[in-house]
Amino acid sequence: MKTRIKKSFACQGIKNFRISTDIKQLDNYIPKEGDVVLFEVIETGKHKNLQTTTRNVTLMPEDQILGVFGNRYATNQFEGYVPDRPMEEYHMLGGGGVMGILASSHSKFEEVGPTRLKLIGLATDPFKRVINTLKVFKDELVPFSGLSASQTKIVLSLGSSMDSGKTTTAAFMIHGLKKRGNKVAYIKLTGTAYPKDKNLAYDMGADLAIDFSKYGFPSTYLTEEPVLLSLYETLIKDSLSVRPDYVVIEIADGIFQKETKMLLQNFAFMNTVNDVVFSAGDSLSAVHGYHLLCQMGIFPTALSGLFTASPLLVQEVESTLYKDSGSPSVPVLGLRDLMSENCPIFSNTMKVLQA
């Protein structure tokens, strides 16, 4: 029986390929970020399913997966990297098909560990070269200028950390903006390839929902600043196809994360942003994150996130900020507020300038 290859979401843009199992080529192969390779599942661990372009498929030992080598930064899950030499065993770093070698994991996954893989083939082009997703789409990226963003309003959804509520915040903002009769696009600019966030945004009404994986990025972790800015410009340009009144941009992880911090400190990038909505998991991170952003010259339009599920945490944030004479008043918005037709925060048309 012919073995079925389960093609991962990270390989979405790869249409034509051949699988090389040539021993000589495999023995001399050194993994590179973006390389498309064929793995065999040795043992399932944390990831017992693989996200394809259509659905989540179950994984079993001896299954064959078409995945992409990439790095991952996920404080609540895995940290992992593309190895610089051939390995006897590789690991599934993300459910969208991002593969590499595990460096660390959250303690809740220490016992189960990562899904373990064996490299059994390379996806090659007609010239027997290993296909690399980053190279396939490299020429489609346009240089950063900020011109695309100037044709719409940009709302930036930031968070204090992973799982602080920024995706849900973005989705409910989109729902509210749609209620007000706006056209809205959603872009996830950074993170690890997985369609859940953009699917949620689309389900909540976005006229277009896209992310970095469209241009072959298995993840954006360790991406250089000029490339990340070019990716931003390209995705914004793509979003203009629906003539959006607003584009909601989500940046993964927290404001201390390398790429997030890099973007927030980039004046040219922040000068394209109209509004910043900051999500936090608890009252302390909400207050401290707000002050930290203000120190960077970034003044959030509103605070939201997981902490708004607790009336007591909301009271802590509001009482702390409102008593601090050095802090401007900033609204705290729960999900009902964000999706309300009367949500006041989107009337601002002035750019959020860094001091």
Side-chain angles (χ1 to χ4, degrees), residues 69-213:
F69 274 115
N71 305 303
R72 189 176 190 197
Y73 179 105
T75 54
N76 284 358
Q77 293 194 31
F78 289 161
E79 172 198 11
Y81 300 92
V82 180
D84 59 4
R85 62 186 186 279
M87 307 290 287
E88 292 185 4
E89 178 183 301
Y90 299 90
H91 304 134
M92 190 169 171
L93 301 178
V98 178
M99 315 301 191
I101 294 295
L102 183 70
S104 72
S105 70
H106 193 283
S107 61
K108 61 187 176 184
F109 298 122
E110 285 182 353
E111 288 189 12
V112 66
T115 291
R116 299 164 51 224
L117 309 165
K118 178 173 66 175
L119 194 153
I120 59 173
L122 307 172
T124 61
D125 62 19
F127 300 99
K128 297 184 178 181
R129 298 173 301 196
V130 178
I131 295 174
N132 184 287
T133 58
L134 293 171
K135 292 180 180 178
V136 168
F137 297 100
K138 181 179 179 181
D139 293 338
E140 296 186 27
L141 298 179
V142 298
F144 173 76
S145 66
L147 292 177
S148 297
S150 68
Q151 299 178 55
T152 184
K153 294 184 180 70
I154 305 297
V155 181
L156 192 60
S157 181
L158 297 176
S160 58
S161 64
M162 183 180 180
D163 296 338
S164 58
K166 56 191 173 296
T167 300
T168 303
T169 294
F172 276 77
M173 278 197 293
I174 290 168
H175 194 69
L177 286 166
K178 290 298 294 180
K179 279 185 177 181
R180 297 179 64 167
N182 296 288
K183 284 192 173 182
V184 189
Y186 165 87
I187 293 172
K188 185 166 185 182
L189 180 57
T190 64
T192 303
Y194 199 75
K196 183 181 71 173
D197 294 347
K198 69 172 186 174
N199 287 347
L200 176 61
Y202 187 78
D203 291 344
M204 294 291 278
D207 296 277
L208 178 73
I210 52 179
D211 65 21
F212 54 88
S213 68

Side-chain angles (χ1 to χ4, degrees), residues 28 70 114 129 138-139 149 180 206 221 228 270 278 317 327 334 346:
N28 294 324
R129 298 173 301 196
K138 181 179 179 181
D139 293 338
R180 297 179 64 167
Y221 181 39
L228 198 54
M270 288 306 303
F278 178 65
V317 171
S327 297
F346 303 113

Side-chain angles (χ1 to χ4, degrees), residues 134 137-138 140-145 148 187-191 210-221 223-239 249-250 259 263 269:
L134 293 171
F137 297 100
K138 181 179 179 181
E140 296 186 27
L141 298 179
V142 298
F144 173 76
S145 66
S148 297
I187 293 172
K188 185 166 185 182
L189 180 57
T190 64
I210 52 179
D211 65 21
F212 54 88
S213 68
K214 179 180 179 181
Y215 289 96
F217 288 80
S219 82
T220 54
Y221 181 39
T223 298
E224 295 181 356
E225 188 170 17
V227 177
L228 198 54
L229 290 172
S230 180
L231 176 63
Y232 172 65
E233 184 78 29
T234 306
L235 290 170
I236 293 289
K237 184 178 179 182
D238 289 346
S239 76
I249 307 288
E250 180 186 348
E259 286 73 41
L263 288 170
F269 171 78

